Amino acid sequence: MKINITLEVAPNEVPLATELLAVLRQLTDHVAVTNTGEPAADTQSSATAAGVSPPQLQAAAGFSSTPQHSGDNHLQHVHSGPPPPAAAPAGPATVSAVAPQLEQQAVASAPAGLAMPFPRGTTPQQQMHALISACEFQENQEALAQQLEAVVMDPSLGGPAVLFPSFCSIWISLALNPNLPAEERSAVPFVTMLRFLGPQLQVRFRDYIMRHLVKHLTTARPLNANRGEYYVHAEAFAALVSIEIVPMEGAIKTMCTLAKTAEKRGAAVTMLGKTVELAGHMILEKVPRETQELMRSTVASIVDEDFRYDVEYINSSMGWAPGGGGDGGGAHAAPAAQLRQLVPVRSIAGYHTEPIFALAVDTAHQQFVTGGKDSYLQVWTQEGQPLQKLELGDQYISSLDFHPRLNMLLCSCVSHNTNNRLRLGGFISSQPNGFECKGFVTLAGTAAVATVRALPGTNGFLTGETVAAGQGQLAAPVIRYWDMAAASSFEGAQPTQVFTGHASIATALRGVAADAHTFASGDKDGSLLLWDLRAPQHVGTFGAADATGRVKAHATMVTSIESSGHLVISGSTDSSVALWDIRQMGQPPLAKAAAENMTVLKLALNNSQSTVAISAVSSMRLLDISNPTAPVLSEPVVAAWPDGQPRSIYHELKWNEPLGLLIAVGKDKLVDMFTLA
């Protein structure tokens, strides 16, 4: 059966005709568009003005010269934020504005089979930005990549001659964002989506991006340069090798050559380490033996202290003995670690009237926030100048954290009055004007909240709580995950997942840097558990069984957790800091650093410097973790402040890593700032 439908389209009816053809395309694969005559000049003009040209009518019917790909017809939440202007420019800020608009629009106007429908008037740059961004969180990237390619190649939009430069600049702004490591995100998912591009676009982009990466990675730098200068580029290079868009053997030879030059060794070693992490098994299976030996001997020749951990990791992952010999001989003795020192920079007094309990750093806008018993949040510029004071009434602040993806400050509060009401507060960063309160959630039925922690690789955050039970029952410790993508507002937020498994309240929470969906939790009794948001129960336990048969990481309370890659670092009131590898669950820690009377309160990791600052009850120390199997603990830090007063207890420490500043707050009501030397 053949049915012919004739549409006479007036200028103001072009959008409606587009929607109708899109619906017909969903019902059948046999829809064609045929012009019955030359369009009137005003019709052509109006169609273009409406943002739907005649080729787009053809595309809605499925007969555009741009290939139509199949895929899951669903929406992927990307970021939160206000809707964009109609012609918002492409760039890093675009996706946070575009994505919510895409989620809120009806999908009837989108052709069938698209992974991400777009409302009419969305520019190609906005579409590319949103599609590339969504690839970071979408396990099935094929439909997104194919839709992205359709946009870039669409002649009605200008085709590659017009859109390829925009595609490259948008991809670079997202995938090579230097803040990714600090936000516990990775360049890898942005690279893996390239597998699904057609050969023409894939090869062209590969050649472009390799020139960009190699130029950046071969820049001469000192051996001890901050790895933040090249880490995401090295990770992207390794990911291209792992998906074999870049020939593996040639890439290894290039990295080995670069490693011979001191000024390029840092980038080369980082590239080698990330390539082994992402594709070590493929190297052993596919790379010729002589090239493997070249890589092995190159790694064995690297004796710089800065790269000791990298060398040990590569040797261990590849099954190579240290030094390149099968019997373990030939290893170069590593010199003793040279511990960094903390140097006081500034101490700020007079802005808090009570002890400070909490601290959060917003590195994207270079501001930080302090709060404590005096019932207000004090916002500071990165230099420590007071910027804003947010009064919270009768509430004092017990915990703070900043969520970079949500652009939100998270706050747990306890009322001063007798009802002990517990609340969570959300504040959107509106820098340079500080923060704007988005509301509070009252935690009815919660007896205690120990901590609130952002999961930067997701759209949510975690709380460690004790939930009040029914009459005659004990209160139950729980961890709750709050997915803000499921909430219409902060005040309307509800926990979307509840995790049980701890025998006592979770006192420390931390996302695992290597996996956005994974986090570690420590409790009051010294247990340390590993969780995955996609699993209902914990997926691992750190430590060994004690005399009672319980598996514990520490003898007493876990007070703080940090993470770098697959490494989890836990601090405890048992006067120790332990280092764990999540790939070795069920095993003892890689190492423990302990000192008499070092009752650990907080840890703060400076990832680029492989240094952990430790706040203890009676002192502050540094822990060098450049070799996680043999960390080096400093003596107590002795800081000579101009006021001549010793500091008592720092309740919280946080790094502003881009500035190299450690911020410490505590019992003395002071805000102290240090730098590493």
Side-chain angles (χ1 to χ4, degrees):
M1 180 182 295
K2 183 175 182 179
I3 300 175
N4 292 321
I5 300 175
T6 302
L7 296 177
E8 293 184 3
V9 183
N12 62 344
E13 297 173 330
V14 170
L16 179 62
T18 304
E19 293 185 14
L20 176 60
L21 290 171
V23 173
L24 291 173
R25 184 72 182 96
Q26 294 182 35
L27 299 175
T28 176
D29 291 333
H30 305 287
V31 178
V33 176
T34 304
N35 290 332
T36 58
E38 292 297 322
D42 59 343
T43 301
Q44 173 72 33
S45 174
S46 297
T48 302
V52 186
S53 63
Q56 287 174 290
L57 291 176
Q58 297 271 350
F63 283 86
S64 168
S65 58
T66 302
Q68 300 294 313
H69 301 288
S70 62
D72 298 326
N73 188 13
H74 65 281
L75 296 177
Q76 171 68 38
H77 183 86
V78 183
H79 284 280
S80 61
T94 305
V95 66
S96 61
V98 174
Q101 185 183 31
L102 304 182
E103 293 178 323
Q104 296 161 8
Q105 293 289 337
V107 300
S109 62
L114 294 184
M116 180 176 283
F118 291 98
R120 292 186 302 275
T122 306
T123 68
Q125 288 77 15
Q126 289 175 322
Q127 294 181 44
M128 289 188 289
H129 201 295
L131 288 164
I132 296 171
S133 295
C135 286
E136 182 179 5
F137 318 113
Q138 173 61 268
E139 293 183 3
N140 178 16
Q141 298 177 325
E142 184 172 6
L144 291 166
Q146 290 177 345
Q147 185 178 352
L148 174 66
E149 181 177 10
V151 173
V152 177
M153 303 299 288
D154 191 340
S156 70
L157 300 175
V162 173
L163 295 178
F164 182 75
S166 295
F167 167 54
C168 293
S169 63
I170 293 168
W171 190 93
I172 287 173
S173 72
L174 293 168
L176 302 183
N177 179 353
N179 292 325
L180 289 182
E183 297 172 4
E184 300 177 21
R185 298 162 58 204
S186 168
V188 173
F190 297 107
V191 174
T192 56
M193 55 83 67
L194 302 175
R195 295 176 296 173
F196 303 109
L197 298 178
Q200 178 183 354
L201 183 58
Q202 186 186 92
V203 170
R204 183 174 179 182
F205 182 74
R206 178 202 65 190
D207 293 346
Y208 173 86
I209 199 61
M210 282 301 293
R211 288 194 299 270
H212 180 90
L213 291 174
V214 170
K215 180 179 179 181
H216 188 86
L217 291 166
T218 56
T219 300
R221 298 179 177 90
L223 278 175
N224 61 351
N226 186 338
R227 293 202 191 193
E229 296 178 12
Y230 53 75
Y231 182 85
V232 290
H233 292 74
E235 186 176 53
F237 181 95
L240 286 166
V241 175
S242 72
I243 62 176
E244 299 185 272
I245 288 180
V246 172
M248 190 169 294
E249 182 180 8
I252 290 174
K253 290 180 178 179
T254 298
M255 289 183 279
C256 290
T257 300
L258 292 175
K260 295 177 181 178
T261 305
E263 292 81 5
K264 300 175 182 178
R265 190 170 299 145
V269 172
T270 306
M271 293 156 70
L272 281 168
K274 292 302 297 185
T275 302
V276 167
E277 178 184 342
L278 299 175
H281 64 289
M282 298 171 64
I283 295 173
L284 294 172
E285 293 172 3
K286 298 184 177 184
V287 173
R289 183 68 179 174
E290 58 271 19
T291 305
Q292 291 187 41
E293 287 299 324
L294 170 65
M295 179 177 168
R296 185 174 183 171
S297 62
T298 299
V299 172
S301 70
I302 299 171
V303 296
D304 310 280
E305 177 62 22
D306 296 274
F307 310 126
R308 179 173 50 167
Y309 174 60
D310 304 81
V311 169
E312 291 179 354
Y313 172 77
I314 294 171
N315 284 329
S316 174
S317 300
M318 298 298 292
W320 296 339
D327 59 358
H332 295 264
Q338 296 297 312
L339 280 175
R340 309 293 293 274
Q341 294 182 340
L342 280 178
V343 178
V345 174
R346 187 178 180 195
S347 183
I348 308 167
Y351 288 90
H352 280 282
T353 60
E354 298 285 350
I356 307 171
F357 298 140
L359 166 69
V361 179
D362 174 9
T363 56
H365 302 118
Q366 290 303 323
Q367 56 188 358
F368 65 93
V369 186
T370 54
K373 197 174 179 180
D374 45 15
S375 300
Y376 55 82
L377 296 173
Q378 179 64 55
V379 185
W380 310 82
T381 67
Q382 64 180 9
E383 296 86 7
Q385 296 296 327
L387 179 63
Q388 181 188 25
K389 187 176 182 180
L390 295 166
E391 298 283 357
L392 299 187
D394 71 340
Q395 305 285 312
Y396 76 80
I397 297 91
S398 59
S399 179
L400 290 172
D401 202 11
F402 184 76
H403 198 306
R405 180 185 296 179
L406 299 177
N407 195 34
M408 180 177 287
L409 175 70
L410 303 165
C411 172
S412 65
C413 311
V414 183
S415 65
H416 283 291
N417 59 35
T418 54
N419 65 21
N420 287 324
R421 183 176 56 175
L422 301 169
R423 297 199 299 173
L424 298 176
F427 303 80
I428 293 295
S429 178
S430 55
Q431 196 272 346
N433 300 313
F435 289 84
E436 175 188 354
C437 181
K438 303 306 289 184
F440 290 86
V441 177
T442 299
L443 300 175
T446 296
V449 176
T451 186
V452 58
R453 191 78 189 218
L455 275 186
T458 73
N459 291 308
F461 60 90
L462 301 164
T463 52
E465 305 176 37
T466 296
V467 177
Q471 187 173 7
Q473 295 179 319
L474 297 175
V478 300
I479 298 168
R480 302 206 284 185
Y481 175 68
W482 305 67
D483 185 357
M484 294 307 298
S488 59
S489 66
F490 189 85
E491 290 182 322
Q494 294 289 331
T496 53
Q497 290 171 265
V498 178
F499 300 95
T500 59
H502 280 289
S504 59
I505 190 170
T507 50
L509 298 165
R510 183 67 162 84
V512 175
D515 187 340
H517 297 93
T518 306
F519 66 92
S521 63
D523 69 20
K524 189 177 179 181
D525 294 332
S527 295
L528 187 63
L529 304 180
L530 184 69
W531 307 81
D532 191 309
L533 291 177
R534 297 159 291 194
Q537 302 295 329
H538 64 268
V539 296
T541 305
F542 298 86
D546 62 10
T548 65
R550 287 188 55 203
V551 176
K552 297 177 69 174
H554 291 275
T556 56
M557 181 168 59
V558 177
T559 53
S560 189
I561 304 172
E562 288 284 15
S563 177
S564 173
H566 295 97
L567 192 67
V568 168
I569 309 159
S570 59
S572 167
T573 55
D574 68 1
S575 300
S576 74
V577 176
L579 286 77
W580 314 83
D581 190 325
I582 64 169
R583 296 165 299 186
Q584 300 177 23
M585 298 304 296
Q587 300 295 317
L590 298 175
K592 267 194 176 183
E596 188 177 355
N597 297 324
M598 190 179 73
T599 303
V600 178
L601 299 177
K602 289 293 180 180
L603 305 176
L605 171 65
N606 185 323
N607 197 49
S608 64
Q609 301 295 333
S610 299
T611 300
V612 178
I614 304 169
S615 171
V617 168
S618 58
S619 64
M620 186 163 63
R621 296 173 183 256
L622 294 178
L623 184 68
D624 184 333
I625 61 166
S626 54
N627 178 4
T629 61
V632 181
L633 184 66
S634 77
E635 293 297 320
V637 173
V638 178
W641 293 101
D643 60 17
Q645 297 298 315
R647 301 314 193 237
S648 52
I649 296 176
Y650 286 127
H651 291 137
E652 183 66 282
L653 305 169
K654 290 284 177 68
W655 285 97
N656 184 329
E657 197 161 336
L659 297 181
L661 285 175
L662 177 69
I663 307 167
V665 297
K667 185 177 180 180
D668 298 313
K669 302 173 262 187
L670 303 171
V671 178
D672 289 341
M673 304 171 76
F674 302 82
T675 189
L676 276 175

